[in-house]
Amino acid sequence: DLEAAGRLLTRADGLRLIPAGKVATPVGTAVGNDWVHLSGLRLDPENASGFGVYAMTDNLRKGSALNAVQIAEQWQKAQVGQ
């Protein structure tokens, strides 16, 4: 469910989940920091166990390649821990 997904996302290093109903923008929210800001948490209508988010970063500080590497590292740590 979305509440459980939100709780998990708030525990992840480097992620900030913007509360429902709040608007996050790349310029107003993400500029000047290295966080990955997530908003718009919603259920995936085509996947019963899936959800979607909007992800924002300051692309000058944290490019997509670095972001992909960090996501892969976190995923690997999670898989090893299972």
Side-chain angles (χ1 to χ4, degrees):
D1 73 15
L2 286 181
E3 284 188 33
R7 283 192 302 274
L8 288 171
L9 290 169
T10 60
R11 293 186 358 216
D13 291 335
L15 297 181
R16 283 202 174 159
L17 182 63
I18 306 301
K22 299 253 181 178
V23 176
T25 64
V27 174
T29 308
V31 72
N33 62 73
D34 292 333
W35 290 92
V36 175
H37 301 270
L38 305 176
S39 76
L41 183 61
R42 64 202 177 282
L43 293 174
D44 183 343
E46 297 181 14
N47 181 349
S49 62
F51 63 91
V53 296
Y54 298 111
M56 291 166 250
T57 65
D58 182 332
N59 288 332
L60 294 176
R61 292 178 59 102
K62 182 178 180 112
S64 59
L66 173 60
N67 194 40
V69 168
Q70 290 177 328
I71 289 169
E73 288 173 342
Q74 291 298 319
W75 182 262
Q76 182 181 26
K77 286 179 189 176
Q79 296 305 309
V80 170
Q82 291 183 357

